[in-house]
Structure formats: structure tokens, C-alpha cells
Amino acid sequence: MRRHTLAVIVENRPGVLTRVTTLFRRRGYNIESLAVGETENPSISRITIVVMGDEKIMEQVTKQLYKLVDVIKIVDITDKRSVERELVMIKVKADVNVRAEIVQIVDIFRARIVDIGKTSLIIEVTGDSGKIDAIVESLKPFGIIELVRTGIVAMVRGEIK
Amino acid sequence: MQLKGAEILLRCLQDEGVDTVFGYPGGAVLPIYDALFESSIRHILGRHEQGVAHAADGYARATGKVGVCIATSGPGATNLVTGIATANMDSIPLVCFTGQVGTPVIGRDAFQEADITGITMPITKHNYVVERTEDVAHTVKEAFYIASTNRPGPVVVDLPKDVMERSIDYKPEEVEVNLRGYRVMKGYNSGQVISAVELIKTAKRPVIYAGGGVISSNAAEELRELALKRKIPVTTTLMGMGAFPGNNYLNLGMLGMHGTRYANYAIGESDLLIAIGVRFDDRVTGNIATFAPHARVIHIDIDAAEIGKNVDVDVPIVGQVKEVLQGINQRLDEVTEYWEWHQTIDRWKEEFPLRYGNSCEGRIMPQNVIEKIYDLTRGNAIITTEVGQNQMWAAQYYKFEHPRTFLTSGGLGTMGYGLPAAIGAKIGRPDLPVIDIAGDGSIQMNIQELATAVQYQLPVIVCILNNQFLGMVRQWQGLFYGGRYSSTDMSHQPDFVKLAEAYGAIGIRVSREEELDHALKQALQVTDRPVVLDILVEREADVYPMVPPGGSLSQMLGGVEI
Ligand SMILES: Cc1ncc(C[n+]2csc(CCOP(=O)(O)OP(=O)(O)O)c2C)c(N)n1
Ligand SMILES: [Mg+2]
């Protein structure tokens, strides 16, 4: 069992996301992360799904997805050279005493502070899951009030000359 | 040319070669029914939308064409659901048109609004909501294309009332199908076919395990050629009955939970399983870990997702069963080698034939009824079934000679399927006698369709194997729940003879074995209305042999001489 990242290219039509998620639910496959959006071609959307599975499960996932009429193409990019990113916003407790410390952490992770409240900050960070887990761990001691993640998006790298 | 959406719909149906539709009207489909009023398409009015869907399904199974049904929005559409799920599990091509409230009020809980596309998403091959009249024509084309190609299945097309009402300038020549996510399978991997041929040539104890895919691919001819060329024994699934002639000496009958002992033993000893158009269903395999333990497996199926789903396969071949079998047959010469294997199987056949005991109550044995029906029709009839013991006895004791002559709800096991399916089958194949082998419980689930059969003067025969029990459930209670017959006694039932007569059908009660032959002959002679035979059978007869749920095929219960 390991994490697989699938890029599922689908028709940009109402209900397509439901078809995909219904299939995962019905067949008992577990979605770890899902992100969807239009592509460079407005008639096509791209769903990035992260799913746990062994080879057998992944074969079934792919074959079952291909049976959906609205699914045009599926690429398992897990073992391809690819860039994976996720955006996370974290609202963290921050009174004056600890602000400096938090700003330091934000700098180290090349994150950004996007809102400053009286007793809290909102931090935006983009990265792969390793980086995101790490910053979340570092901020935990201050007290995380709220956290939201976009889900992972991924892209295969271009050829090197 | 200016046409209403509903008129375009009917033109498109005609372009698809549809001459008969099954349906039930209502507010949201008024425009469609108005267009039907003057159309040459024949509309069969059912009495419940579930019956309508099963009738379209029976028509599809019997003819190989796409079955078409129409229901109104809301309750009409939700009443179709069991019929759609039944067709989906058995891969039957249906196109179901549902009415929908007008587009301006969709999503506002309007009167008789139901999200039928949402509801049917997991039980259809695909579904649509048509939002503009301009989309009617290409959607209908796509729906038929999807329903009937690759692995067939039901497609729902939801039609808002205003979309049907509005007129547009319709140009039939401009209708295009645009399905970049859906490709029809053609051809096969010939390397895999060669590997399969090699395995067949070196096998000592091969068995063909054939299913519904052989029938839906119209490949019975090719299957017979393969089996006869090499003298390979054939066992079929419930869905595969009729794919191989029942009387051929190579036919082992059904396998699985209520299969023959010799079919299941053959699977257990086989060194090569040639699985054709099947999906290794749990009712077939029993305990999957001990299924065909010594066999290499060739699996031929149109649906790649079926291959490797339940068992590991040595030679997977994705393709149309018909084409793949042609490819294999071309490369195989005629040799009979499996002499010892046939001897072994013959011994099993001799030692463990299908058999049943005598009545304890002086009643008719249900198995005997099926044998009588076979004697009188010899495979030249369409048999439909309800669900339960009646269904299993029909599969065990009737020898199906031709594909598309056994219509049964295999995957979903839908009680109430048999009568409406018989109506659809009779409409599609008026040349054949059509007999529903029914149970006293199941028949009451769609008995209202007798009115449909009377209205259209359809001489379908309903043989109720009346054991006054939900027999199959009672059997399991007897075997696995200490004989506690919780809510399975059905002795409170209507007088089926009077009920039939009230509908305008013929009702005949058969309470003694001597009357059976005469009653069946009488029923077979009727040409203008349905006949209900209320056959009082042994109340507590059980279906044997049996693989207990989760057990191994080699360990069957019952069906041996005591
Ligand atoms: C719609 C539906 N409800 C419940 C069941 C569960 N079930 C399976 S067989 C059976 C008994 C059927 O009784 P009957 O039609 O009299 O047939 P018998 O087994 O007695 O031949 C039941 C209740 C089912 N298959 N379908
Ligand atoms: Mg019964």
C-alpha cells in the first residue's frame, strides 16, 4: 500500500465530480486528497486524486474510472518526475510575545503572512506534503485555531535536453 | 424544420430503429405522450413503472435490441429504479426516458421533482439531463450508442418538460455524437489469443465456464465451435444458460451455489479454466480461495475492469467475446484428447445426477413441474423466472437450447421480474411460447402486469410454484437458523385463479400431478390472453445440491441418494 497521485482528465460537465467520488465511495477506495479545476481547454477539467492502494487496487481504480463515459484520460504520476503542490492556510494564535518567533518560522518555510489580527495570524504556505507537514508541526505549539488545505495538484515535469 | 423537443425525440427513436416502447404517462411527460398519440411507434402501457422497466428489459434480452421505457418525473422515475438496477447488474441495454420538471424550477423541490440522475448514477452505465431542446437529438444518439456497445447497460435520459415542449429548427443531418471518453472496443491482443491456444493445447482437464457475456455478444455459435472442436466440457452461469445447448453431452449445466455436483467437481479438478463473458461472482465461486485451485485461467471479457477483479488470471483477453472466440477457433485444430477427463466427468454424472425425492405430502414436486414444461417445449420457448427456489429449479431442470431464451434477474435477484419480463419477451418474440416460472411470493410483487398482458392479448403463461412460502428464505432459515421460520410463511394469499379471472386472464389450479400435463397443454394452446397456473407444490422442498455460503464448490450439501 502506498500513496498514488492520479491526474484524471474529464469532460467539464455538471455531475462529473460526483460520478468520480461516487465511484470511489461505492467501491470502497479511500481518497486522501482531491482537487479539481478547469484546464487550459475550458471543455476539460482535471481532477487530481491522491489515493492509498497497492498495485491491485490501483489497477481496479484506473479501470473503473475509465468506464465512466466522462473520463477521458488517467495518468498515474506517482513514479513520474513531477511537481506536487498544495496550498494551506493556517490561523495560529499569536500574541505579541510570540509573533517574532512565528515570523521566523514563516521565513524559514518561505511561507507568507496574509492576515494580522489582534491575537492571531493567518499564514499561507505552498509546497509538497513534506513541507506542509513540517510547518504545521512547527506551528502547533503556538496553537492552531483553523487550518484549510486545497488538496494536492501535480504536474509531470518537462523533458530535460 | 420546426419541431418540438418531444417530436424530435420520437424521430430520433425511429432513427435508432425503435418500433416499441414501454411506458407510463404523467404530468412531466405529457408533451411526449402527445407526440406518441400520432406516432407509428407502438407504446405498451404497463401498470407500474417497475413493470415497465422489466418489460423493456425482457424485450431487450429476448431480442438483443435496446429496450426503451418512459416514465414521468418524481414517483414515476423512482419507480423505475429497481428495473434499472436489475438491468445494470445483468448488463442489459436499456434507454430510460424520465420526465422532469421544467428547467426554471429544477432544484426548487417543485411538484414531482426527483433528482433521478443523482439517484441512478451508481446503477446506470451513464445518464443525462437534457437542458436544451438543441441537445435532444445528439443525447438520444449517444444514449443508444452507450447502452448497446461494449459491455451493455442502462442509460437514463432525464427530459425537463419545457425542453420537450419548445420548438426549434431541427436538422437531422447535423446530429453528431461527441464522446471522446468512450471508445468501442475492436479487435484483441493476438499474442494473448496465441497464449490461450497454447494453454488449451496442453491442458489435460479443461473446462469452459461461460456466462452472460457470450449471450450479449451473440457468440453462442463460436462457443459451440470451440467446445465441439476440442470436446471441452462446458458449464454455464445462471446468466449463461442457453449459451450452450442444454442437451449436448458436453454440457455440465450450471455451476456454483446451486450448480450440479459434476460441474462444481470439474471446476475443482480442472487444470485449465476458460472463463468467457463471466465475472467470477460470489454465487459462482463460493470461497474464492478454493475456487478452481489447480487451474490456470484464461479470462475473456469485454470489460477490462472484470479481469483480475476477483481472481488472478494467467491469460487475460479483453475484447468482444465473439471476435476473440473466432480468433481462438481459427488457431485450434480438431483433436480429442481429454479421454481420461471425460471418463472422470462421466463417473460424476452417473454418481451425482440432479435428483429430487418424492413428496412427503402427496403434493406435486416443483422440480417435476419444470421437467414437464421442458418435455412440452423442448427448449423452444422463452422461460422467465421470478426469484428464489423457482428460479434455481428452472435453471437446474430446464434444458435451454438457445441463447436469449432464459430471462432471469441474476445479479440483483429481483422478485417481481418474471411476469413483466415475460410480457416484454412476448412482444419481442411473438413466435415463441413465453412462460414465467414464478413463486407465490414473487408473483405478488408485479401481479398488476396481468392487466397489461390482457390488454395487449399476450398469451404469456405464469406457472406459480405455489409452496405458500418465501421458499428460498425459508430454506436458509431451515439450514442456518435452526428452522425458525421467521416471516416466511405465505399461506395468507389471494386465490390466484380468481385473481387471474378478475384480470380477464385464465386461471387454472393444479393440485395433483395427474392434472399437470393437461393443464400445461391447455395453457400452451391459448393464443389471446395470459394464463395463470396455480400449481400447489410440496411446501418444504429444498433446492439441492447446494454450496453453503462461503463454502467450497467441492463441498456440496444434498442431492445425493439417501
Ligand atoms: C424484491 C426482493 N425482496 C426480497 C428478496 C429476498 N428473497 C429472495 S428469494 C425470496 C423468496 C421468494 O419467494 P417465492 O417467490 O415464493 O419463491 P420460492 O423461493 O418460494 O420459490 C425472498 C423474499 C428479493 N430477492 N427480492
Ligand atoms: Mg414460494
Side-chain angles (χ1 to χ4, degrees):
Chain A
M1 291 280 261
R2 63 184 185 119
R3 258 174 95 250
H4 287 257
T5 308
L6 301 182
V8 185
I9 312 299
V10 299
E11 296 287 350
N12 185 5
R13 283 195 197 131
V16 174
L17 186 59
T18 317
R19 288 181 204 281
V20 170
T21 51
T22 300
L23 189 153
F24 274 75
R25 177 190 53 76
R26 183 169 103 68
R27 303 254 174 207
Y29 313 133
N30 229 328
I31 299 180
E32 299 226 320
S33 156
L34 183 146
V36 58
E38 215 174 271
T39 62
E40 72 284 359
N41 176 347
S43 74
I44 290 179
S45 293
R46 175 162 167 152
I47 308 177
T48 309
I49 307 177
V50 180
V51 55
M52 283 293 285
D54 57 18
E55 233 171 85
K56 257 194 120 146
I57 294 176
M58 293 317 296
E59 187 184 325
Q60 267 297 307
V61 167
T62 311
K63 285 174 169 177
Q64 295 292 351
L65 277 174
Y66 263 123
K67 282 171 67 170
L68 297 179
V69 171
D70 287 333
V71 169
I72 302 167
K73 197 171 174 210
I74 304 158
V75 189
D76 187 337
I77 57 182
T78 317
D79 295 329
K80 298 214 156 112
R81 295 178 52 257
S82 63
V83 187
E84 274 193 16
R85 289 291 179 271
E86 183 171 21
L87 186 145
V88 181
M89 290 201 280
I90 308 160
K91 188 183 282 172
V92 65
K93 279 192 198 153
D95 51 35
V96 245
N97 310 328
V98 295
R99 285 213 174 178
E101 215 179 317
I102 293 177
V103 169
Q104 243 183 357
I105 293 173
V106 167
D107 280 347
I108 292 169
F109 284 98
R110 276 185 241 132
R112 295 200 304 154
I113 294 171
V114 292
D115 180 70
I116 301 178
K118 259 195 194 138
T119 56
S120 68
L121 296 172
I122 297 180
I123 295 159
E124 172 203 304
V125 59
T126 307
D128 57 21
S129 19
K131 174 174 169 185
I132 287 177
D133 291 347
I135 191 169
V136 170
E137 279 310 308
S138 317
L139 292 172
K140 258 189 193 160
F142 302 97
I144 292 176
I145 302 166
E146 205 179 334
L147 184 150
V148 56
R149 328 175 62 130
T150 56
I152 292 165
V153 293
M155 198 176 263
V156 176
R157 290 178 190 271
E159 297 288 318
I160 320 167
K161 286 221 180 96
Chain B
M1 134 193 53
Q2 283 292 120
L3 287 180
K4 281 186 173 189
E7 291 164 340
I8 296 172
L9 171 68
L10 295 193
R11 285 198 181 222
C12 294
L13 290 182
Q14 277 164 332
D15 291 345
E16 295 296 332
V18 173
D19 51 21
T20 308
V21 300
F22 301 84
Y24 204 95
V29 285
L30 276 167
I32 302 175
Y33 275 82
D34 191 56
L36 272 169
F37 196 62
E38 290 195 324
S39 164
S40 61
I41 292 178
R42 183 179 185 204
H43 178 269
I44 306 294
L45 175 65
R47 293 300 183 271
H48 183 302
E49 289 86 353
Q50 185 190 348
V52 164
H54 291 326
D57 167 313
Y59 177 88
R61 293 191 206 220
T63 61
K65 295 196 259 181
V66 176
V68 181
C69 59
I70 305 174
T72 193
S73 67
T78 55
N79 270 350
L80 287 180
V81 166
T82 303
I84 296 169
T86 302
N88 190 54
M89 283 293 263
D90 290 345
S91 308
I92 305 304
L94 285 191
V95 175
C96 308
F97 296 101
T98 50
Q100 184 55 276
V101 300
T103 49
V105 294
I106 287 184
R108 301 196 193 177
D109 305 317
F111 178 62
Q112 295 197 325
E113 178 179 2
D115 173 16
I116 198 64
T117 36
I119 291 169
T120 59
M121 217 171 254
I123 53 162
T124 48
K125 187 169 171 187
H126 194 51
N127 61 21
Y128 293 91
V129 187
V130 182
E131 282 163 7
R132 303 178 317 148
T133 308
E134 287 76 6
D135 295 327
V136 171
H138 76 85
T139 306
V140 171
K141 204 171 192 142
E142 288 177 19
F144 277 82
Y145 186 67
I146 291 170
S148 61
T149 49
N150 289 346
R151 180 177 179 170
V155 176
V156 166
V157 181
D158 201 25
L159 300 166
K161 192 171 181 180
D162 55 325
V163 170
M164 291 288 95
E165 209 65 89
R166 200 162 72 88
S167 294
I168 60 161
D169 187 22
Y170 172 59
K171 299 198 184 74
E173 61 284 356
E174 285 177 13
V175 178
E176 260 181 56
V177 169
N178 175 22
L179 292 167
R180 52 188 160 182
Y182 185 83
R183 292 263 171 286
V184 171
M185 266 297 300
K186 285 220 173 63
Y188 49 81
N189 181 327
S190 44
Q192 294 297 82
V193 165
I194 290 167
S195 308
V197 167
E198 286 314 307
L199 280 187
I200 295 171
K201 281 184 178 163
T202 52
K204 296 267 182 300
R205 297 181 303 280
V207 176
I208 292 172
Y209 150 39
V214 175
I215 293 171
S216 70
S217 173
N218 294 317
E221 245 342 285
E222 288 75 10
L223 173 63
R224 192 158 64 191
E225 187 183 333
L226 170 63
L228 295 191
K229 245 185 180 173
R230 306 291 290 202
K231 312 284 184 286
I232 306 172
V234 180
T235 175
T236 58
T237 66
L238 186 66
M239 294 304 299
M241 293 274 137
F244 189 72
N247 263 320
N248 192 290
Y249 72 104
L250 291 170
N251 197 327
L252 305 177
M254 185 165 69
L255 81 165
M257 180 172 277
H258 288 300
T260 61
R261 279 185 184 254
Y262 37 95
N264 285 345
Y265 291 173
I267 295 284
E269 295 293 311
S270 165
D271 67 350
L272 177 66
L273 196 60
I274 310 168
I276 312 175
V278 293
R279 57 188 176 87
F280 294 83
D281 176 78
D282 55 279
R283 282 288 187 270
V284 163
T285 63
N287 180 355
I288 195 100
T290 58
F291 181 71
H294 313 296
R296 308 255 234 142
V297 178
I298 300 168
H299 189 184
I300 305 166
D301 203 276
I302 186 72
D303 183 357
E306 285 306 337
I307 292 179
K309 185 179 82 176
N310 294 338
V311 298
D312 291 330
V313 173
D314 297 279
V315 182
I317 309 177
V318 179
Q320 275 292 345
V321 166
K322 193 182 185 78
E323 284 181 27
V324 175
L325 288 186
Q326 282 167 352
I328 292 178
N329 289 340
Q330 268 167 25
R331 293 171 171 87
L332 268 184
D333 33 353
E334 244 163 278
V335 193
T336 319
E337 290 170 275
Y338 319 114
W339 187 78
E340 272 178 47
W341 183 220
H342 285 291
Q343 275 204 320
T344 309
I345 290 176
D346 287 346
R347 262 205 318 277
W348 287 328
K349 280 186 170 173
E350 232 164 82
E351 201 174 338
F352 307 110
L354 279 176
R355 57 163 74 106
Y356 56 93
N358 294 320
S359 168
C360 310
E361 306 158 346
R363 292 243 240 172
I364 300 168
M365 290 305 284
Q367 300 92 332
N368 186 232
V369 177
I370 314 288
E371 288 178 331
K372 278 268 154 58
I373 294 172
Y374 176 74
D375 286 343
L376 292 174
T377 54
R378 300 254 137 206
N380 296 310
I382 292 178
I383 305 293
T384 72
T385 75
E386 302 294 338
V387 169
Q389 296 182 313
N390 56 83
Q391 178 183 34
M392 290 300 117
W393 285 320
Q396 289 181 327
Y397 288 92
Y398 196 93
K399 299 195 191 79
F400 296 93
E401 290 296 312
H402 311 288
R404 304 195 180 281
T405 58
F406 184 51
L407 319 188
T408 194
S409 170
L412 200 67
T414 309
M415 292 171 68
Y417 172 80
L419 172 58
I423 289 172
K426 187 72 195 176
I427 286 168
R429 290 297 307 270
D431 53 317
L432 285 177
V434 178
I435 303 168
D436 172 27
I437 293 175
D440 50 300
S442 303
I443 194 64
Q444 295 185 67
M445 287 214 176
N446 274 319
I447 196 152
Q448 76 287 344
E449 298 305 324
L450 273 178
T452 310
V454 170
Q455 176 179 347
Y456 297 98
Q457 302 178 0
L458 301 172
V460 298
I461 301 170
V462 179
C463 289
I464 304 176
L465 303 182
N466 192 345
N467 51 16
Q468 297 175 295
F469 268 119
L470 298 175
M472 185 56 95
V473 182
R474 181 207 52 75
Q475 175 172 345
W476 284 48
Q477 288 171 335
L479 289 171
F480 311 118
Y481 293 89
R484 290 147 58 89
Y485 291 171
S486 178
S487 298
T488 43
D489 190 310
M490 272 267 140
S491 34
H492 287 277
Q493 53 184 210
D495 181 328
F496 287 114
V497 171
K498 283 190 188 152
L499 188 61
E501 285 166 356
Y503 272 112
I506 295 169
I508 304 172
R509 178 153 301 114
V510 186
S511 32
R512 287 179 313 154
E513 205 186 309
E514 310 83 82
E515 302 163 357
L516 186 59
D517 194 60
H518 179 71
L520 281 168
K521 281 184 179 149
Q522 201 183 332
L524 282 164
Q525 269 156 21
V526 176
T527 56
D528 61 347
R529 72 192 72 186
V531 182
V532 175
L533 300 181
D534 182 22
I535 305 170
L536 306 184
V537 298
E538 177 79 357
R539 287 202 70 198
E540 299 196 33
D542 282 344
V543 181
Y544 283 124
M546 175 178 193
V547 179
S552 297
L553 295 196
S554 55
Q555 289 156 352
M556 298 194 80
L557 306 175
V560 283
E561 221 155 15
I562 344 152

